[in-house]
Amino acid sequence: MRKAYVAGNWKMNCTIGEATELAKGLVAGLSADANADVAVVPQFLAIGAVKEVVAGTPIKLGAQDVYFEKNGAFTGEISTAMLKDAGCEFALVGHSERRHVLGETDEIIRKKLDALLAEGLEVILCVGEQLEEREANQTEKVLEEQTVAGIKGLTPAQLAKVTIAYEPVWAIGTGKVATTEQAQSAHKFIRDLVAKLFDQAAADALRIQYGGSVKPDNAKDLLAQPDVDGALVGGAALKADSFLGIIAGA
Ligand code: PGA
């Protein structure tokens, strides 16, 4: 039985002060018997302040991105060791905004994933199709390409540190949520693919989050799908009440 995993991706929102207040609201409101693993993913500059607030609580701390080189002349970038030093347990890689706004390729995303695992950090690997791809019946092709590029060849111990987030690009920040059938079908497709790439036990242990306009009022139905193991939440993670409502739905 996979434990639900709900992560809040704050994106390029919240000053350090705002992030601190949001984290305090979550710590105050998170019930001790919450049935889910919970994580927050602030912008880089707020990671230190949020760490102070969530230290000693069950809330995990992650970063939105990372660079794959260890150090050196890479102006503007942050390494895996720097994230670890700042208190992060994981980072997102392959978020659709990085793929489609910032031009990241599957190859770059894989290098980032490998670098995080080499540092002993966990990863949330985001995959998902764009609207044109869904309309052209390319959803499974895109999911297969992104998933294979992201995890093929990992050892079982490495795979155990990876969560996949299925985020249909057309549902992110648009208020257009995937139907429970669309989400379940994509999640099942990814899980079956992982069973082929690894084995059934590895596929059964893998947590696959859904992301894209998750709100307190739709979280419960989405998370009730057999292959939906949690949520990666953007907009609705920016208010403690709504994020806690989503966690309650798990
Ligand atoms: P959204 O974002 O919940 O605002 O749609 C989800 C995400 O991009 O992770």
Side-chain angles (χ1 to χ4, degrees):
M1 180 69 189
R2 296 177 293 268
K3 187 173 185 191
Y5 182 12
V6 180
N9 172 15
W10 297 352
K11 308 194 181 183
M12 198 174 75
N13 295 295
C14 300
T15 60
I16 294 173
E18 289 162 351
T20 305
E21 287 312 306
L22 178 52
K24 283 184 182 162
L26 296 177
V27 169
L30 189 65
S31 93
D33 55 2
N35 209 8
D37 289 333
V38 175
V40 293
V41 194
Q43 47 96 343
F44 287 126
L45 298 177
I47 285 172
V50 171
K51 186 194 163 204
E52 297 294 314
V53 180
V54 301
T57 77
I59 300 176
K60 288 158 74 90
L61 179 62
Q64 297 174 17
D65 188 33
V66 69
Y67 196 56
F68 51 79
E69 296 287 356
K70 281 196 180 319
N71 59 265
F74 303 102
T75 301
E77 297 297 332
I78 302 276
S79 74
T80 57
M82 292 168 189
L83 292 186
K84 195 177 187 177
D85 183 46
C88 290
E89 290 174 66
F90 73 96
L92 308 182
V93 296
H95 190 278
S96 72
E97 286 141 23
R98 299 217 58 92
R99 290 180 189 268
H100 303 301
V101 182
L102 295 151
E104 283 191 15
T105 61
D106 279 328
E107 192 191 1
I108 291 173
I109 291 160
R110 178 59 185 262
K111 285 186 179 173
K112 292 181 172 189
L113 180 140
D114 285 340
L116 286 160
L117 294 174
E119 195 67 52
L121 294 169
E122 296 172 10
V123 181
I124 297 179
L125 167 68
C126 306
V127 298
E129 82 287 0
Q130 303 184 78
L131 185 59
E132 313 81 84
E133 293 164 336
R134 174 162 285 270
E135 286 172 344
N137 277 321
Q138 302 282 299
T139 297
E140 294 187 348
K141 178 171 172 281
V142 171
L143 295 181
E144 177 158 357
E145 281 167 7
Q146 294 179 348
T147 304
V148 167
I151 61 171
K152 188 177 180 190
L154 293 181
T155 66
Q158 287 174 323
L159 184 69
K161 292 195 156 233
V162 175
T163 297
I164 292 182
Y166 167 61
E167 299 202 304
V169 179
W170 47 272
I172 296 181
T174 58
K176 250 195 235 168
V177 65
T179 63
T180 50
E181 292 78 17
Q182 285 171 327
Q184 167 57 24
S185 141
H187 283 230
K188 171 100 172 50
F189 176 79
I190 294 168
R191 197 177 307 286
D192 289 346
L193 176 61
V194 173
K196 273 187 242 155
L197 293 173
F198 295 86
D199 58 26
Q200 194 60 48
D204 287 342
L206 175 76
R207 292 194 287 192
I208 307 176
Q209 298 170 322
Y210 169 80
S213 299
V214 178
K215 307 258 173 333
D217 62 4
N218 60 29
K220 202 168 179 209
D221 287 346
L222 285 163
L223 271 83
Q225 301 307 304
D227 288 292
V228 178
D229 309 313
L232 182 56
V233 186
L238 293 173
K239 294 257 181 312
D241 282 357
S242 64
F243 191 57
L244 291 165
I246 291 167
I247 296 164

